[in-house]
Short mmCIF file of all heavy atoms in Angstrom, two decimals:
data_model
loop_
_atom_site.label_atom_id
_atom_site.label_comp_id
_atom_site.label_asym_id
_atom_site.label_seq_id
_atom_site.Cartn_x
_atom_site.Cartn_y
_atom_site.Cartn_z
N CYS A 1 11.49 8.00 2.24
CA CYS A 1 10.66 7.06 1.52
C CYS A 1 9.44 6.67 2.31
O CYS A 1 9.60 6.41 3.54
CB CYS A 1 11.48 5.94 1.09
SG CYS A 1 10.64 4.73 0.08
N HIS A 2 8.39 6.58 1.72
CA HIS A 2 7.09 6.18 2.35
C HIS A 2 6.43 5.11 1.46
O HIS A 2 6.17 5.37 0.34
CB HIS A 2 6.13 7.35 2.60
CG HIS A 2 4.88 6.96 3.34
ND1 HIS A 2 4.90 6.55 4.64
CD2 HIS A 2 3.61 7.17 2.98
CE1 HIS A 2 3.69 6.41 5.05
NE2 HIS A 2 2.88 6.72 4.11
N VAL A 3 6.12 3.87 2.04
CA VAL A 3 5.60 2.85 1.24
C VAL A 3 4.11 2.67 1.58
O VAL A 3 3.75 2.59 2.81
CB VAL A 3 6.30 1.51 1.53
CG1 VAL A 3 5.76 0.36 0.79
CG2 VAL A 3 7.84 1.67 1.23
N LEU A 4 3.29 2.68 0.56
CA LEU A 4 1.83 2.42 0.77
C LEU A 4 1.54 1.01 0.34
O LEU A 4 1.98 0.63 -0.78
CB LEU A 4 0.99 3.43 -0.13
CG LEU A 4 1.21 4.95 0.18
CD1 LEU A 4 0.46 5.78 -0.83
CD2 LEU A 4 0.91 5.31 1.58
N ILE A 5 0.90 0.31 1.20
CA ILE A 5 0.52 -1.04 0.91
C ILE A 5 -1.06 -1.18 0.73
O ILE A 5 -1.71 -0.96 1.71
CB ILE A 5 1.00 -2.08 1.92
CG1 ILE A 5 2.48 -1.95 2.04
CG2 ILE A 5 0.62 -3.54 1.49
CD1 ILE A 5 3.06 -2.83 3.25
N PRO A 6 -1.54 -1.44 -0.44
CA PRO A 6 -2.96 -1.59 -0.68
C PRO A 6 -3.47 -2.95 -0.16
O PRO A 6 -3.33 -3.97 -0.86
CB PRO A 6 -3.14 -1.41 -2.19
CG PRO A 6 -1.84 -1.79 -2.73
CD PRO A 6 -0.88 -1.46 -1.76
N MET A 7 -3.91 -2.99 1.10
CA MET A 7 -4.29 -4.27 1.70
C MET A 7 -5.54 -4.87 1.08
O MET A 7 -5.80 -6.06 1.33
CB MET A 7 -4.45 -4.01 3.22
CG MET A 7 -3.18 -3.55 3.91
SD MET A 7 -1.80 -4.71 3.70
CE MET A 7 -2.36 -6.05 4.69
N GLY A 8 -6.21 -4.19 0.26
CA GLY A 8 -7.37 -4.74 -0.45
C GLY A 8 -6.99 -5.53 -1.73
O GLY A 8 -7.87 -6.09 -2.41
N GLY A 9 -5.69 -5.50 -2.07
CA GLY A 9 -5.20 -6.26 -3.18
C GLY A 9 -4.18 -5.51 -3.97
O GLY A 9 -4.18 -4.24 -4.06
N LEU A 10 -3.24 -6.26 -4.50
CA LEU A 10 -2.06 -5.70 -5.27
C LEU A 10 -2.07 -5.78 -6.78
O LEU A 10 -1.25 -5.32 -7.42
CB LEU A 10 -0.73 -6.29 -4.71
CG LEU A 10 -0.55 -6.10 -3.19
CD1 LEU A 10 0.56 -7.08 -2.71
CD2 LEU A 10 -0.13 -4.64 -2.91
N SER A 11 -3.15 -6.50 -7.28
CA SER A 11 -3.23 -6.66 -8.76
C SER A 11 -4.65 -6.89 -9.10
O SER A 11 -5.59 -7.05 -8.23
CB SER A 11 -2.40 -7.85 -9.19
OG SER A 11 -2.94 -9.06 -8.79
N HIS A 12 -4.90 -6.98 -10.39
CA HIS A 12 -6.31 -7.18 -10.82
C HIS A 12 -6.95 -8.47 -10.22
O HIS A 12 -8.06 -8.46 -9.94
CB HIS A 12 -6.26 -7.33 -12.46
CG HIS A 12 -7.65 -7.59 -13.03
ND1 HIS A 12 -8.68 -6.67 -12.95
CD2 HIS A 12 -8.13 -8.65 -13.54
CE1 HIS A 12 -9.73 -7.22 -13.48
NE2 HIS A 12 -9.41 -8.43 -13.91
N GLU A 13 -6.21 -9.47 -10.21
CA GLU A 13 -6.76 -10.80 -9.69
C GLU A 13 -6.54 -10.99 -8.18
O GLU A 13 -6.98 -11.97 -7.60
CB GLU A 13 -6.28 -11.92 -10.47
CG GLU A 13 -6.83 -12.06 -11.82
CD GLU A 13 -8.37 -12.21 -11.91
OE1 GLU A 13 -8.90 -12.83 -10.99
OE2 GLU A 13 -8.98 -11.76 -12.89
N ASP A 14 -5.71 -10.13 -7.56
CA ASP A 14 -5.51 -10.09 -6.10
C ASP A 14 -6.52 -9.20 -5.51
O ASP A 14 -6.22 -8.07 -5.16
CB ASP A 14 -4.08 -9.80 -5.77
CG ASP A 14 -3.91 -9.82 -4.18
OD1 ASP A 14 -4.61 -10.51 -3.55
OD2 ASP A 14 -2.95 -9.08 -3.78
N ARG A 15 -7.79 -9.61 -5.48
CA ARG A 15 -8.89 -8.79 -4.91
C ARG A 15 -9.94 -9.78 -4.42
O ARG A 15 -9.81 -10.99 -4.66
CB ARG A 15 -9.45 -7.98 -6.02
CG ARG A 15 -9.96 -8.75 -7.25
CD ARG A 15 -10.62 -7.95 -8.28
NE ARG A 15 -10.84 -8.62 -9.44
CZ ARG A 15 -11.74 -9.63 -9.79
NH1 ARG A 15 -12.50 -9.92 -8.78
NH2 ARG A 15 -11.85 -10.21 -10.80
N GLU A 16 -10.87 -9.29 -3.66
CA GLU A 16 -11.96 -10.19 -3.19
C GLU A 16 -12.57 -10.92 -4.30
O GLU A 16 -13.02 -10.28 -5.26
CB GLU A 16 -12.98 -9.37 -2.39
CG GLU A 16 -14.00 -10.24 -1.71
CD GLU A 16 -14.90 -9.47 -0.79
OE1 GLU A 16 -14.51 -8.38 -0.38
OE2 GLU A 16 -16.03 -9.92 -0.58
N GLY A 17 -12.49 -12.24 -4.26
CA GLY A 17 -13.16 -13.02 -5.35
C GLY A 17 -12.19 -13.29 -6.50
O GLY A 17 -12.61 -14.00 -7.43
N GLY A 18 -11.02 -12.73 -6.48
CA GLY A 18 -10.10 -12.78 -7.59
C GLY A 18 -9.42 -14.19 -7.65
O GLY A 18 -9.36 -14.91 -6.66
N ALA A 19 -8.82 -14.53 -8.79
CA ALA A 19 -8.23 -15.85 -8.97
C ALA A 19 -6.99 -16.13 -8.05
O ALA A 19 -6.78 -17.23 -7.70
CB ALA A 19 -7.79 -16.07 -10.40
N ILE A 20 -6.31 -15.10 -7.64
CA ILE A 20 -5.07 -15.24 -6.80
C ILE A 20 -5.26 -14.44 -5.47
O ILE A 20 -4.26 -14.18 -4.84
CB ILE A 20 -3.80 -14.92 -7.49
CG1 ILE A 20 -3.74 -13.46 -7.96
CG2 ILE A 20 -3.58 -15.87 -8.65
CD1 ILE A 20 -2.39 -12.96 -8.48
N GLU A 21 -6.41 -14.13 -5.04
CA GLU A 21 -6.70 -13.39 -3.92
C GLU A 21 -6.13 -14.12 -2.66
O GLU A 21 -6.36 -15.31 -2.46
CB GLU A 21 -8.14 -13.16 -3.63
CG GLU A 21 -8.52 -12.10 -2.66
CD GLU A 21 -8.95 -12.58 -1.33
OE1 GLU A 21 -9.45 -13.71 -1.31
OE2 GLU A 21 -8.85 -11.88 -0.36
N ASP A 22 -5.27 -13.32 -1.89
CA ASP A 22 -4.69 -14.00 -0.63
C ASP A 22 -4.39 -12.87 0.33
O ASP A 22 -3.31 -12.34 0.47
CB ASP A 22 -3.37 -14.68 -1.11
CG ASP A 22 -2.87 -15.60 0.09
OD1 ASP A 22 -3.20 -15.34 1.24
OD2 ASP A 22 -2.14 -16.51 -0.23
N ALA A 23 -5.40 -12.61 1.11
CA ALA A 23 -5.30 -11.50 2.20
C ALA A 23 -4.21 -11.92 3.19
O ALA A 23 -3.53 -11.03 3.74
CB ALA A 23 -6.61 -11.36 2.95
N ASP A 24 -4.05 -13.17 3.49
CA ASP A 24 -3.00 -13.64 4.50
C ASP A 24 -1.56 -13.34 3.99
O ASP A 24 -0.76 -12.85 4.68
CB ASP A 24 -3.10 -15.04 4.81
CG ASP A 24 -4.31 -15.43 5.61
OD1 ASP A 24 -4.94 -14.55 6.34
OD2 ASP A 24 -4.82 -16.58 5.49
N LEU A 25 -1.37 -13.49 2.67
CA LEU A 25 -0.03 -13.21 2.08
C LEU A 25 0.13 -11.70 2.07
O LEU A 25 1.33 -11.29 2.31
CB LEU A 25 -0.06 -13.79 0.68
CG LEU A 25 1.31 -13.70 0.00
CD1 LEU A 25 2.43 -14.44 0.83
CD2 LEU A 25 1.28 -14.34 -1.39
N ARG A 26 -0.84 -10.84 1.82
CA ARG A 26 -0.70 -9.46 1.86
C ARG A 26 -0.28 -9.08 3.28
O ARG A 26 0.54 -8.17 3.45
CB ARG A 26 -1.97 -8.76 1.37
CG ARG A 26 -2.16 -8.85 -0.10
CD ARG A 26 -3.29 -7.92 -0.53
NE ARG A 26 -4.56 -8.14 0.09
CZ ARG A 26 -5.53 -8.91 -0.46
NH1 ARG A 26 -5.34 -9.55 -1.51
NH2 ARG A 26 -6.65 -9.05 0.20
N GLN A 27 -0.89 -9.65 4.32
CA GLN A 27 -0.57 -9.36 5.67
C GLN A 27 0.83 -9.70 6.02
O GLN A 27 1.55 -8.90 6.67
CB GLN A 27 -1.56 -9.98 6.66
CG GLN A 27 -1.38 -9.41 8.10
CD GLN A 27 -1.69 -7.96 8.11
OE1 GLN A 27 -2.73 -7.44 7.75
NE2 GLN A 27 -0.72 -7.21 8.66
N ILE A 28 1.27 -10.84 5.58
CA ILE A 28 2.71 -11.25 5.75
C ILE A 28 3.64 -10.29 5.10
O ILE A 28 4.70 -9.90 5.74
CB ILE A 28 2.92 -12.71 5.27
CG1 ILE A 28 2.20 -13.71 6.10
CG2 ILE A 28 4.40 -13.05 5.17
CD1 ILE A 28 2.06 -15.09 5.49
N PHE A 29 3.37 -9.87 3.80
CA PHE A 29 4.12 -8.88 3.22
C PHE A 29 4.31 -7.58 3.98
O PHE A 29 5.31 -7.04 4.23
CB PHE A 29 3.58 -8.64 1.82
CG PHE A 29 4.16 -7.52 1.03
CD1 PHE A 29 5.56 -7.54 0.68
CD2 PHE A 29 3.54 -6.37 0.87
CE1 PHE A 29 6.06 -6.46 -0.03
CE2 PHE A 29 4.03 -5.23 0.16
CZ PHE A 29 5.38 -5.31 -0.30
N ALA A 30 3.07 -7.10 4.48
CA ALA A 30 3.01 -5.83 5.25
C ALA A 30 3.87 -5.98 6.58
O ALA A 30 4.56 -5.10 6.91
CB ALA A 30 1.63 -5.47 5.48
N ASP A 31 3.64 -7.03 7.28
CA ASP A 31 4.28 -7.26 8.55
C ASP A 31 5.85 -7.32 8.27
O ASP A 31 6.55 -6.76 9.10
CB ASP A 31 3.81 -8.57 9.20
CG ASP A 31 2.33 -8.46 9.71
OD1 ASP A 31 1.78 -7.33 9.75
OD2 ASP A 31 1.79 -9.49 9.96
N THR A 32 6.25 -8.08 7.26
CA THR A 32 7.68 -8.17 7.01
C THR A 32 8.27 -6.88 6.59
O THR A 32 9.35 -6.45 7.10
CB THR A 32 7.94 -9.25 5.93
OG1 THR A 32 7.36 -10.50 6.29
CG2 THR A 32 9.37 -9.38 5.66
N LEU A 33 7.65 -6.18 5.73
CA LEU A 33 8.20 -4.83 5.35
C LEU A 33 8.24 -3.87 6.50
O LEU A 33 9.24 -3.15 6.73
CB LEU A 33 7.29 -4.30 4.21
CG LEU A 33 7.88 -3.13 3.44
CD1 LEU A 33 9.15 -3.39 2.73
CD2 LEU A 33 6.90 -2.59 2.40
N THR A 34 7.17 -3.85 7.35
CA THR A 34 7.21 -2.96 8.43
C THR A 34 8.28 -3.28 9.46
O THR A 34 8.93 -2.40 10.01
CB THR A 34 5.79 -3.05 9.18
OG1 THR A 34 4.80 -2.67 8.22
CG2 THR A 34 5.76 -2.15 10.29
N ALA A 35 8.47 -4.62 9.71
CA ALA A 35 9.52 -5.03 10.67
C ALA A 35 10.86 -4.64 10.19
O ALA A 35 11.80 -4.48 10.99
CB ALA A 35 9.46 -6.56 10.78
N ARG A 36 11.08 -4.49 8.87
CA ARG A 36 12.46 -4.21 8.37
C ARG A 36 12.58 -2.69 7.98
O ARG A 36 13.62 -2.30 7.51
CB ARG A 36 12.73 -5.08 7.18
CG ARG A 36 12.85 -6.50 7.59
CD ARG A 36 13.26 -7.46 6.53
NE ARG A 36 13.53 -8.79 6.78
CZ ARG A 36 13.12 -9.54 7.79
NH1 ARG A 36 12.23 -9.10 8.69
NH2 ARG A 36 13.38 -10.84 7.86
N ALA A 37 11.55 -1.98 8.18
CA ALA A 37 11.62 -0.55 7.83
C ALA A 37 12.70 0.13 8.79
O ALA A 37 12.52 0.18 9.98
CB ALA A 37 10.19 0.06 8.03
N GLY A 38 13.57 0.73 8.21
CA GLY A 38 14.53 1.50 8.99
C GLY A 38 14.65 2.97 8.47
O GLY A 38 14.47 3.92 9.18
N GLN A 39 14.87 3.07 7.17
CA GLN A 39 14.98 4.37 6.54
C GLN A 39 13.78 4.75 5.84
O GLN A 39 13.73 5.74 5.12
CB GLN A 39 16.19 4.35 5.57
CG GLN A 39 17.57 4.02 6.16
CD GLN A 39 17.92 5.01 7.20
OE1 GLN A 39 17.72 6.28 6.99
NE2 GLN A 39 18.56 4.59 8.28
N PHE A 40 12.63 4.09 6.08
CA PHE A 40 11.43 4.38 5.40
C PHE A 40 10.22 4.10 6.30
O PHE A 40 10.35 3.47 7.35
CB PHE A 40 11.24 3.63 4.08
CG PHE A 40 11.33 2.20 4.19
CD1 PHE A 40 10.14 1.41 4.40
CD2 PHE A 40 12.47 1.44 4.21
CE1 PHE A 40 10.23 0.00 4.45
CE2 PHE A 40 12.57 0.10 4.32
CZ PHE A 40 11.42 -0.64 4.45
N THR A 41 9.07 4.60 6.00
CA THR A 41 7.79 4.38 6.75
C THR A 41 6.85 3.55 5.84
O THR A 41 7.03 3.58 4.62
CB THR A 41 7.12 5.69 7.10
OG1 THR A 41 6.84 6.44 6.01
CG2 THR A 41 7.95 6.47 8.09
N VAL A 42 5.98 2.84 6.55
CA VAL A 42 5.05 1.95 5.85
C VAL A 42 3.64 2.30 6.36
O VAL A 42 3.42 2.47 7.55
CB VAL A 42 5.38 0.49 6.16
CG1 VAL A 42 4.40 -0.42 5.47
CG2 VAL A 42 6.76 0.18 5.76
N ALA A 43 2.73 2.30 5.38
CA ALA A 43 1.29 2.47 5.78
C ALA A 43 0.44 1.49 4.99
O ALA A 43 0.53 1.42 3.73
CB ALA A 43 0.85 3.96 5.47
N GLY A 44 -0.30 0.66 5.69
CA GLY A 44 -1.30 -0.20 5.05
C GLY A 44 -2.60 0.49 4.91
O GLY A 44 -3.01 1.04 5.90
N LEU A 45 -3.16 0.42 3.76
CA LEU A 45 -4.50 1.10 3.50
C LEU A 45 -5.41 -0.06 3.11
O LEU A 45 -5.12 -0.96 2.41
CB LEU A 45 -4.33 2.02 2.41
CG LEU A 45 -3.31 3.12 2.69
CD1 LEU A 45 -3.06 3.95 1.46
CD2 LEU A 45 -3.76 4.10 3.82
N PRO A 46 -6.70 0.00 3.55
CA PRO A 46 -7.72 -1.05 3.35
C PRO A 46 -8.22 -1.12 1.97
O PRO A 46 -9.32 -1.75 1.79
CB PRO A 46 -8.74 -0.70 4.38
CG PRO A 46 -8.70 0.80 4.49
CD PRO A 46 -7.28 1.13 4.37
N HIS A 47 -7.68 -0.47 0.95
CA HIS A 47 -8.19 -0.35 -0.38
C HIS A 47 -7.47 -1.27 -1.36
O HIS A 47 -6.34 -1.58 -1.12
CB HIS A 47 -8.23 1.08 -0.88
CG HIS A 47 -8.83 1.99 0.17
ND1 HIS A 47 -10.19 2.05 0.45
CD2 HIS A 47 -8.28 2.88 1.04
CE1 HIS A 47 -10.39 2.92 1.45
NE2 HIS A 47 -9.21 3.44 1.77
N HIS A 48 -8.08 -1.46 -2.53
CA HIS A 48 -7.44 -2.18 -3.64
C HIS A 48 -6.51 -1.17 -4.35
O HIS A 48 -6.79 0.04 -4.37
CB HIS A 48 -8.47 -2.76 -4.53
CG HIS A 48 -7.84 -3.60 -5.64
ND1 HIS A 48 -7.49 -3.10 -6.78
CD2 HIS A 48 -7.51 -4.89 -5.69
CE1 HIS A 48 -6.91 -4.10 -7.61
NE2 HIS A 48 -6.99 -5.19 -6.89
N ILE A 49 -5.47 -1.66 -4.99
CA ILE A 49 -4.50 -0.79 -5.68
C ILE A 49 -5.11 0.13 -6.74
O ILE A 49 -4.69 1.15 -7.01
CB ILE A 49 -3.34 -1.57 -6.20
CG1 ILE A 49 -2.14 -0.70 -6.54
CG2 ILE A 49 -3.77 -2.51 -7.39
CD1 ILE A 49 -0.85 -1.45 -6.83
N ASN A 50 -6.24 -0.44 -7.38
CA ASN A 50 -6.85 0.30 -8.43
C ASN A 50 -7.98 1.17 -8.02
O ASN A 50 -8.99 1.38 -8.76
CB ASN A 50 -7.30 -0.76 -9.51
CG ASN A 50 -6.24 -1.42 -10.21
OD1 ASN A 50 -5.11 -0.86 -10.36
ND2 ASN A 50 -6.48 -2.68 -10.67
N THR A 51 -7.94 1.78 -6.86
CA THR A 51 -8.99 2.61 -6.33
C THR A 51 -8.55 4.09 -6.28
O THR A 51 -7.35 4.35 -6.17
CB THR A 51 -9.46 2.16 -4.99
OG1 THR A 51 -8.39 2.35 -4.02
CG2 THR A 51 -10.04 0.79 -4.96
N ALA A 52 -9.49 4.95 -6.32
CA ALA A 52 -9.24 6.41 -6.20
C ALA A 52 -8.61 6.69 -4.80
O ALA A 52 -7.82 7.60 -4.67
CB ALA A 52 -10.53 7.18 -6.31
N GLU A 53 -8.91 5.90 -3.77
CA GLU A 53 -8.45 6.14 -2.44
C GLU A 53 -6.91 5.87 -2.42
O GLU A 53 -6.17 6.68 -1.75
CB GLU A 53 -9.09 5.21 -1.41
CG GLU A 53 -10.59 5.59 -1.11
CD GLU A 53 -11.49 4.87 -2.07
OE1 GLU A 53 -11.09 4.19 -3.06
OE2 GLU A 53 -12.72 5.03 -1.93
N ILE A 54 -6.51 4.93 -3.10
CA ILE A 54 -4.99 4.65 -3.12
C ILE A 54 -4.31 5.74 -3.93
O ILE A 54 -3.21 6.25 -3.48
CB ILE A 54 -4.68 3.27 -3.74
CG1 ILE A 54 -5.18 2.14 -2.79
CG2 ILE A 54 -3.22 3.10 -4.03
CD1 ILE A 54 -4.42 2.07 -1.41
N ALA A 55 -4.87 6.18 -5.01
CA ALA A 55 -4.28 7.24 -5.83
C ALA A 55 -4.23 8.44 -5.01
O ALA A 55 -3.19 9.17 -4.97
CB ALA A 55 -5.21 7.44 -7.09
N GLN A 56 -5.28 8.81 -4.27
CA GLN A 56 -5.20 10.02 -3.51
C GLN A 56 -4.20 9.87 -2.36
O GLN A 56 -3.55 10.92 -2.09
CB GLN A 56 -6.62 10.31 -2.92
CG GLN A 56 -6.75 11.66 -2.16
CD GLN A 56 -6.43 12.79 -3.16
OE1 GLN A 56 -7.14 12.95 -4.18
NE2 GLN A 56 -5.44 13.66 -2.82
N ALA A 57 -4.12 8.76 -1.73
CA ALA A 57 -3.15 8.58 -0.64
C ALA A 57 -1.74 8.74 -1.18
O ALA A 57 -0.86 9.32 -0.54
CB ALA A 57 -3.30 7.19 -0.01
N ALA A 58 -1.45 8.27 -2.43
CA ALA A 58 -0.17 8.35 -3.04
C ALA A 58 0.23 9.93 -3.29
O ALA A 58 1.28 10.35 -2.99
CB ALA A 58 -0.03 7.60 -4.28
N VAL A 59 -0.81 10.66 -3.83
CA VAL A 59 -0.54 12.08 -4.01
C VAL A 59 -0.41 12.80 -2.76
O VAL A 59 0.52 13.59 -2.64
CB VAL A 59 -1.80 12.62 -4.86
CG1 VAL A 59 -1.75 14.13 -4.89
CG2 VAL A 59 -1.93 12.10 -6.23
N ASP A 60 -1.23 12.48 -1.79
CA ASP A 60 -1.07 13.18 -0.44
C ASP A 60 0.28 12.89 0.16
O ASP A 60 0.93 13.80 0.70
CB ASP A 60 -2.13 12.73 0.54
CG ASP A 60 -3.54 13.17 0.09
OD1 ASP A 60 -3.69 14.06 -0.74
OD2 ASP A 60 -4.52 12.62 0.56
N ALA A 61 0.75 11.59 0.09
CA ALA A 61 2.08 11.27 0.62
C ALA A 61 3.15 12.01 -0.05
O ALA A 61 4.10 12.51 0.57
CB ALA A 61 2.26 9.72 0.59
N LEU A 62 3.04 12.12 -1.38
CA LEU A 62 4.08 12.82 -2.13
C LEU A 62 4.09 14.30 -1.77
O LEU A 62 5.12 14.90 -1.51
CB LEU A 62 3.83 12.69 -3.67
CG LEU A 62 4.72 13.45 -4.54
CD1 LEU A 62 6.16 12.96 -4.45
CD2 LEU A 62 4.24 13.26 -5.99
N LEU A 63 2.91 14.93 -1.72
CA LEU A 63 2.90 16.37 -1.38
C LEU A 63 3.38 16.67 -0.01
O LEU A 63 4.01 17.66 0.19
CB LEU A 63 1.47 16.92 -1.59
CG LEU A 63 0.94 16.87 -3.03
CD1 LEU A 63 -0.58 17.24 -3.01
CD2 LEU A 63 1.82 17.78 -3.84
N GLU A 64 3.11 15.76 0.98
CA GLU A 64 3.64 15.96 2.31
C GLU A 64 5.12 15.87 2.39
O GLU A 64 5.75 16.51 3.28
CB GLU A 64 3.09 14.81 3.20
CG GLU A 64 1.60 14.97 3.55
CD GLU A 64 1.06 13.73 4.26
OE1 GLU A 64 1.79 12.94 4.78
OE2 GLU A 64 -0.21 13.66 4.37
N ARG A 65 5.77 15.16 1.47
CA ARG A 65 7.18 14.98 1.57
C ARG A 65 7.96 15.89 0.61
O ARG A 65 9.17 15.97 0.70
CB ARG A 65 7.53 13.50 1.28
CG ARG A 65 7.16 12.65 2.39
CD ARG A 65 6.92 11.27 2.07
NE ARG A 65 6.61 10.41 3.23
CZ ARG A 65 5.40 10.47 3.79
NH1 ARG A 65 4.46 11.15 3.35
NH2 ARG A 65 5.05 9.73 4.90
N MET A 66 7.25 16.65 -0.22
CA MET A 66 7.95 17.59 -1.13
C MET A 66 8.24 18.81 -0.33
O MET A 66 7.57 19.35 0.45
CB MET A 66 7.00 17.98 -2.30
CG MET A 66 6.80 16.84 -3.29
SD MET A 66 5.71 17.29 -4.61
CE MET A 66 6.57 18.58 -5.43
N PRO A 67 9.50 19.33 -0.68
CA PRO A 67 9.86 20.60 -0.04
C PRO A 67 8.99 21.75 -0.47
O PRO A 67 8.59 21.86 -1.64
CB PRO A 67 11.30 20.82 -0.50
CG PRO A 67 11.64 19.76 -1.46
CD PRO A 67 10.42 18.80 -1.58
N HIS A 68 8.59 22.60 0.43
CA HIS A 68 7.82 23.79 0.09
C HIS A 68 8.53 24.96 0.69
O HIS A 68 9.06 24.88 1.79
CB HIS A 68 6.37 23.75 0.51
CG HIS A 68 5.90 22.71 1.33
ND1 HIS A 68 5.13 21.63 0.83
CD2 HIS A 68 6.07 22.33 2.68
CE1 HIS A 68 4.88 20.85 1.89
NE2 HIS A 68 5.38 21.20 2.91
N ASP A 69 8.33 26.04 0.06
CA ASP A 69 8.94 27.31 0.57
C ASP A 69 7.86 28.25 1.07
O ASP A 69 6.74 28.20 0.69
CB ASP A 69 9.71 27.98 -0.54
CG ASP A 69 10.98 27.15 -0.96
OD1 ASP A 69 12.03 27.34 -0.30
OD2 ASP A 69 10.82 26.34 -1.81
#
C-alpha cells in the first residue's frame, strides 16, 4: 500500500484561501501517518487533491505496484 497525501489541500475548501484551509493540520496528519507507517509507504505531494499532478502521481504509483510480466 502506498498513501499519497496532497499537501496543497484535501478538499474543495481546504486550499489556499479556502474556508477551512489548514496547512498545519495537513502537516500533522502527514507526520502522524508517516510515523505509524509499518506495512505501507507515505508520500506527501505539494499539490491540491484536485490537480492533474495528484491524478498522475496516483496512476504512476498504481502502475509501479502492479505486477508485470
Side-chain angles (χ1 to χ4, degrees):
C1 180
H2 184 62
V3 179
L4 300 175
I5 303 174
M7 297 301 291
L10 299 167
S11 72
H12 176 70
E13 288 298 328
D14 179 24
R15 58 178 166 73
E16 188 174 333
I20 61 169
E21 194 254 340
D22 193 335
D24 292 336
L25 188 57
R26 286 193 300 270
Q27 189 61 55
I28 290 167
F29 171 69
D31 292 345
T32 302
L33 193 60
T34 300
R36 295 186 173 26
Q39 300 296 322
F40 58 93
T41 56
V42 179
L45 302 169
H47 311 289
H48 187 269
I49 195 167
N50 292 332
T51 62
E53 291 87 356
I54 292 293
Q56 188 63 57
V59 169
D60 292 345
L62 175 64
L63 292 175
E64 287 172 13
R65 286 156 180 80
M66 288 179 65
H68 8 254
D69 293 271

